Amino acid sequence: MGVEVTITTEGQLRLDQAILDHLGVQPGGRLEIILKPDGRVELHSIPKKWSLKDVYGILARENAPSVSLEEMQRAIEDVQDLRERPFAVRF
């Protein structure tokens, strides 16, 4: 799909909503521009960097039991072990 855009006198360009949708970019989002040796450019969306404030409480469920840091660490280590030895059986 080719789309033509016009460069303003300030050197800016406006991307149509269809292009932003295709890239998955929202207002205020960021793009990476890669300059290719043959004069072409590539546009890639840059994923949003989440802050702790953005995700605080996202996994909270009513009446869910609390989990200690030690239990979380054991769960992380268990997953890492399974990735290293996917066919190991644990009892």
Side-chain angles (χ1 to χ4, degrees), residues 12-82:
Q12 299 175 340
L13 59 94
R14 181 183 175 279
L15 299 177
D16 292 335
Q17 188 63 47
I19 296 170
L20 298 175
D21 292 344
H22 180 77
L23 292 169
V25 178
Q26 299 294 322
R30 299 179 58 191
L31 294 175
E32 174 185 26
I33 299 174
I34 299 173
L35 304 176
K36 305 302 274 185
D38 62 1
R40 296 181 305 133
V41 297
E42 287 182 7
L43 296 176
H44 299 269
S45 60
I46 298 174
K48 178 180 178 179
K49 292 182 181 176
W50 296 92
S51 71
L52 186 57
K53 183 180 172 183
D54 293 328
V55 297
Y56 179 78
I58 199 167
L59 298 178
R61 294 186 312 251
E62 262 186 63
N63 302 321
S66 297
V67 180
S68 70
L69 291 175
E70 291 80 14
E71 291 171 308
M72 286 185 217
Q73 184 62 40
R74 272 198 306 275
I76 291 167
E77 290 169 359
D78 288 347
V79 169
Q80 288 172 338
D81 287 347
L82 287 173

Side-chain angles (χ1 to χ4, degrees), residues 80-91:
Q80 288 172 338
D81 287 347
L82 287 173
R83 287 183 178 163
E84 292 169 7
R85 298 178 294 131
F87 299 107
V89 177
R90 301 187 78 174
F91 295 97

